[in-house]
Amino acid sequence: MRGSRGVRGFTGTLLLMAGVAFCHAQGDSIIQDQTSANFVAQATAPPHGQEPMSMTARQGADASKTQPQREKPGVVRTYYIAADEVDWDYTPKGRNITGLPHVESADDESGSGIQHRVYHKAIYREYTDATFKTLKVRTAPWEHLGILGPLIRAEVGDSIRIYFKNNTHLSVTMHAHGLEYKKDAEGALYNDGTAGTVKADDKIAPGGTFTYIWTVPERSGPAGMDASSVLWMYHSHFVESMDMNTGLIGPIIVTKRGMARPDGSPKDVDKEFITDFAVFDETDSWFFEGNAGRETRAVRLKASNPLLREQNLLYSINGYIEGNLPLLTMKKGERVRWYLLSNSNEDDVHMAHWHGNTVVWNSMRMDTMFLGPMAMATADMTPDNEGIWLFHCHVADHFTGGMVARYQVLP
């Protein structure tokens, strides 16, 4: 009899547990539906002033109550970002600023060489508030970001709220690498089994707005062999390759919990530089036909005209070629962190090389770093060798094509 009561008690416990699980599953479904509705409402009428904490952030805050007292609760970091159309100059200061020797061409001899390589593009830009009327000024330390979108920062435990507006005549999105997001904030269009409001983030039409909410759990931050901060990226993921070649890409930096200053930057670093080794294929841009102008007929033949593509490949660092990247300046003995990334074309296989100094990556000393397509890497430098030094890609075609810049070490 005692054994049968034990079996009945065990069976009753299983039934109770199953009922609780069912109730939780139903509750999760309701919460997901409500969250999706909230995102759509925010997209059509972003609030001004103080930001109310999102449901995702509230859930994170509730979860943080179970964490040890030494872990401060995360904050909601808010950004106002738009996709804008601009005319981008890859060579604003002219050609061959680094003074590298090169084989003379007919253009050199005739003196009629093209001084400016200008293409119509779409890029991410940051605004001061939800009216999207005033651009946020990019400060001097970050002028080198060039064509890259605004830097998004967070500390592990934070949430990121992006009020996004599409000022282009294209369909675009924002898709984050490394961060946590739900299906209604993924920013990528494909058959994923979702429908209705959950798909609203997948395609932001011209003139449209949307609120993306991403969270930053431990798995988005530095791991055991990482430094105190790591690099991720965001980009448009409607037609991914064309979106990125058009210019829609930007950086994200996540700092280890407890290691961030109020602005999210790592406490143990003096200077930070972000460099995107990017081969922009302008024949795969949404604006190529307009950029080609009189060569419209050639545009339609580009599949059978590899020379046309080669003439419109821009071997850039942050959208600048031939030394036009602003001089990256640091002082001897400073703790300098380099964040390196690359674009998604098959040509985006790079070997970044610093002259004059070395870096440490993954606990290894080196002066070159390999980057494959869509790579993201972090390396630390303590410069000890003063002077102006070359910083470039060591892939031969990229080097001769203009993927070169300079950095300076002051006393």
Side-chain angles (χ1 to χ4, degrees):
M1 292 297 291
R2 182 176 300 172
S4 63
R5 283 199 301 270
V7 170
R8 285 197 299 273
F10 179 67
T11 303
T13 301
L14 287 178
L15 290 172
L16 178 60
M17 291 173 62
V20 171
F22 175 78
C23 291
H24 278 301
Q26 293 297 309
D28 289 344
S29 176
I30 293 171
I31 288 174
Q32 179 62 38
D33 291 344
Q34 291 172 339
T35 304
S36 301
N38 287 342
F39 287 170
V40 175
Q42 292 160 358
T44 57
H48 295 268
Q50 183 65 35
E51 305 295 339
M53 184 173 285
S54 69
M55 179 166 291
T56 304
R58 287 198 299 270
Q59 291 169 339
D62 291 340
S64 70
K65 295 177 183 176
T66 65
Q67 300 295 326
Q69 290 298 314
R70 68 177 183 275
E71 293 184 356
K72 65 178 183 180
V75 300
V76 180
R77 300 184 184 271
T78 301
Y79 295 86
Y80 305 93
I81 298 176
D84 293 335
E85 294 187 25
V86 300
D87 289 327
W88 182 257
D89 190 350
Y90 286 91
T91 55
K93 300 176 184 176
R95 307 297 295 274
N96 195 18
I97 303 301
T98 53
L100 289 168
H102 62 283
V103 177
E104 291 186 356
S105 66
D107 284 343
D108 294 318
E109 295 168 1
S110 66
S112 61
I114 300 173
Q115 289 300 305
H116 294 277
R117 303 292 303 277
V118 180
Y119 289 82
H120 192 64
K121 301 186 75 65
I123 64 175
Y124 293 117
R125 298 198 294 184
E126 187 173 6
Y127 286 77
T128 57
D129 56 42
T131 65
F132 291 96
K133 291 182 178 179
T134 305
L135 280 170
K136 189 171 182 179
V137 177
R138 184 169 274 178
T139 59
W142 296 106
E143 288 180 348
H144 72 276
L145 287 180
I147 203 169
L148 294 178
L151 169 59
I152 295 174
R153 284 195 189 272
E155 181 181 0
V156 169
D158 290 346
S159 296
I160 298 170
R161 180 192 293 263
I162 307 288
Y163 290 114
F164 176 67
K165 184 177 181 182
N166 181 8
N167 288 329
T168 76
H169 69 272
L170 310 171
S171 292
V172 299
T173 71
M174 287 186 70
H175 169 71
H177 283 239
L179 305 184
E180 182 180 50
Y181 43 78
K182 304 305 179 185
K183 292 301 298 183
D184 50 10
E186 184 178 6
L189 181 63
Y190 61 101
N191 293 330
D192 60 357
T194 64
T197 58
V198 183
K199 302 293 287 182
D201 62 297
D202 295 354
K203 176 184 176 182
I204 312 305
T209 62
F210 191 80
T211 303
Y212 289 96
I213 296 181
W214 304 325
T215 55
V216 190
E218 289 289 343
R219 57 94 160 162
S220 297
M225 296 183 68
D226 283 313
S228 59
S229 59
V230 292
L231 175 71
W232 301 106
M233 72 168 79
Y234 62 93
H235 58 86
S236 181
H237 206 305
F238 179 55
V239 180
E240 185 186 39
S241 63
M242 294 191 75
D243 293 355
M244 294 182 67
N245 281 310
T246 302
L248 292 167
I249 182 172
I252 303 169
I253 294 176
V254 174
T255 301
K256 184 178 180 179
R257 189 191 297 271
M259 287 298 294
R261 301 184 180 98
D263 67 354
S265 62
K267 296 176 181 177
D268 58 344
V269 174
D270 299 315
K271 283 279 181 69
E272 295 172 289
F273 298 108
I274 301 173
T275 55
D276 178 22
F277 285 72
V279 180
F280 281 103
D281 182 357
E282 292 293 346
T283 68
D284 194 36
S285 164
W286 288 108
F287 299 126
F288 181 55
E289 186 164 340
N291 288 328
R294 289 178 299 177
E295 298 181 21
T296 301
R297 181 175 179 275
V299 172
R300 290 191 285 269
L301 298 175
K302 71 177 183 178
S304 59
N305 186 358
L307 180 60
L308 178 68
R309 180 174 184 270
E310 180 60 36
Q311 291 172 338
N312 289 280
L313 290 179
L314 280 299
Y315 300 97
S316 76
I317 300 177
N318 292 359
Y320 295 114
I321 66 172
E322 300 182 15
N324 275 268
L325 183 74
L327 187 66
L328 306 176
T329 303
M330 64 206 73
K331 292 182 180 179
K332 184 176 179 179
E334 282 189 314
R335 300 167 299 178
V336 179
R337 183 154 295 165
W338 295 81
Y339 303 97
L340 297 88
L341 64 154
S342 59
N343 279 24
S344 63
N345 294 308
E346 64 272 19
D347 300 285
D348 279 305
V349 177
H350 308 291
M351 186 62 75
H353 173 46
W354 295 263
H355 285 214
N357 290 275
T358 62
V359 298
V360 174
W361 172 79
N362 203 24
S363 300
M364 296 183 290
R365 178 78 59 184
M366 55 187 61
D367 68 357
T368 60
M369 279 187 62
F370 173 77
L371 299 170
M374 297 299 285
M376 291 157 278
T378 303
D380 282 347
M381 172 188 287
T382 304
D384 59 2
N385 200 359
E386 299 170 19
I388 295 178
W389 303 102
L390 201 62
F391 176 53
H392 66 95
C393 180
H394 239 306
V395 175
D397 288 348
H398 301 178
F399 181 65
T400 57
M403 194 173 279
V404 296
R406 295 172 300 164
Y407 74 97
Q408 182 176 30
V409 180
L410 299 172

